């Protein structure tokens, strides 16, 4: 049986920080549907900009994780390689029909190295890819959080110690498809409020009941983004099915040889 290596563990502080950011993230994405119709938040045009302050919180999660687990140089190097790989894969899709091959690597990395590492590498890879593609804006903190969730979810899938081979690849392929669709569904919530007043058939109407805005949001997703989300899901599932097993074995072999969880020992010369 292959021993699982936790490169970035979820210690008490990092788990608490991750839970806090995720809770704030749920509110940040879902406030148009969660806010009481009579509240000031439901009528606020500045809410999307205020929630863009998630970026410092995300960086705080990364810092807390590193401080809590004593991340060594080898683990930082692995984080850098996978984040750079994800950033390099993003432009390959060129935004055509929603094709984004970086989802494949994030799912595999999260599965191979655990939910803590998955969240860190997912958010860092999205940040690096935004710098590479010029996609820096108020939407970036939301993209970082959503990609962190995608990779973290792969690390939380069952059978981490026992499931291997074709069964594991099939599980990851199914998860890759579902998480790619879920990513688009969640990210659409970030930009949807900006359309308020443009078209009452699909746009957010401040102060309307939640079920009315939910109906408009479903119509918005079906008419604007589903044609992008489905190709992304199919590409992610296909790449995992074809290359997932090979990449998983390579990443696991690299972490075993690097021995991230073995403390360094220094001995005098000649011993």
């Amino acid at each position: 049986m292959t021993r699982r290596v936790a490169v970035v563990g979820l210690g008490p502080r990092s788990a608490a920080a991750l839970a806090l950011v995720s809770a704030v993230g749920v509110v940040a994405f879902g406030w148009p549907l969660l806010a009481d119709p009579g509240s000031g938040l439901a009528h606020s045009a500045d809410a999307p900009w205020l929630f863009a302050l998630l970026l410092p919180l995300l960086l705080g999660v990364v810092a807390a994780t590193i401080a809590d687990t004593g991340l060594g140089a080898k683990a930082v190097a692995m984080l850098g390689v996978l984040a750079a790989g994800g950033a390099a894969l993003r432009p390959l899709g060129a935004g055509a029909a929603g094709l984004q091959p970086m989802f494949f690597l994030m799912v595999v990395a999260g599965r191979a190295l655990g939910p803590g590492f998955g969240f860190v590498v997912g958010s860092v890879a999205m940040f690096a890819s935004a710098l590479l593609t010029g996609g820096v804006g108020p939407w970036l903190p939301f993209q970082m959080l959503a990609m962190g969730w995608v990779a973290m979810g792969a690390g939380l899938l069952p059978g981490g110690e026992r499931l291997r081979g074709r069964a594991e690849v099939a599980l990851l392929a199914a998860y890759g498809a579902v998480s790619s669709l879920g990513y688009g569904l969640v990210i659409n919530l970030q930009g949807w409020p900006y359309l308020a007043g443009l078209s009452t058939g699909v746009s957010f109407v401040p102060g309307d009941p939640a079920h009315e805005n939910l109906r408009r949001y479903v119509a918005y997703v079906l008419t604007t983004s589903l044609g992008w989300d489905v190709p992304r899901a199919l590409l992610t599932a296909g790449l995992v099915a074809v290359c997932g097993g090979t990449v998983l074995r390579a990443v696991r072999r690299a972490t075993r040889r690097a021995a991230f969880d073995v403390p360094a020992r220094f001995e005098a010369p000649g011993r």
Side-chain angles (χ1 to χ4, degrees):
M1 181 181 297
T2 303
R3 183 174 63 91
R4 189 171 181 174
V5 180
V7 176
V8 179
L10 283 178
R13 284 182 296 170
S14 56
L18 182 55
L20 173 62
V21 171
S22 295
V24 175
V26 170
V27 177
F29 280 112
W31 71 266
L33 303 176
L34 299 175
D36 186 88
S39 67
L41 179 61
H43 295 269
S44 175
D46 297 327
W49 299 93
L50 295 176
F51 282 123
L53 294 176
L54 274 172
L55 179 57
L57 291 176
L58 285 170
L59 296 179
V61 168
V62 176
T65 303
I66 292 175
D68 205 19
T69 59
L71 199 63
K74 292 182 288 186
V76 171
M78 175 67 76
L79 172 65
V81 168
L82 290 174
L89 285 174
R90 189 179 181 187
L92 296 182
L99 300 177
Q100 293 181 339
M102 73 176 297
F103 277 74
F104 151 71
L105 184 59
M106 298 301 100
V107 169
V108 172
R111 175 63 176 180
L113 300 170
F117 185 89
F119 183 84
V120 174
V121 75
S123 58
V124 172
M126 183 57 73
F127 178 75
S129 68
L131 298 179
L132 187 63
T133 60
V136 178
W139 54 85
L140 179 57
F142 297 89
Q143 291 178 331
M144 292 173 62
L145 181 59
M147 185 60 77
W149 283 342
V150 168
M152 182 180 69
L156 293 173
L157 290 174
E161 298 289 348
R162 303 175 304 277
L163 195 63
R164 290 292 185 270
R166 293 181 179 178
E168 184 179 31
V169 172
L171 176 65
L172 279 185
Y175 172 79
V178 172
S179 62
S180 297
L181 290 172
Y183 175 89
L185 190 66
V186 169
I187 285 296
N188 283 331
L189 276 171
Q190 180 269 325
W192 180 52
Y194 292 111
L195 301 176
L198 296 182
S199 172
T200 56
V202 297
S203 62
F204 172 63
V205 178
D208 263 19
H211 68 274
E212 290 293 334
N213 274 321
L214 179 60
R215 177 183 58 81
R216 297 187 185 99
Y217 179 66
V218 172
Y220 170 74
V221 170
L222 293 176
T223 57
T224 62
S225 68
L226 195 61
W228 294 71
D229 298 336
V230 171
R232 182 196 303 122
L234 294 176
L235 177 65
T236 303
L239 288 177
V240 171
V242 174
C243 309
T246 301
V247 177
L248 271 172
R249 288 191 295 271
V251 174
R252 284 168 172 159
R253 186 182 306 113
T255 54
R256 286 198 304 272
R257 291 182 176 179
F260 294 106
D261 53 349
V262 176
R265 297 177 59 186
F266 299 93
E267 297 181 353
R271 292 189 61 185

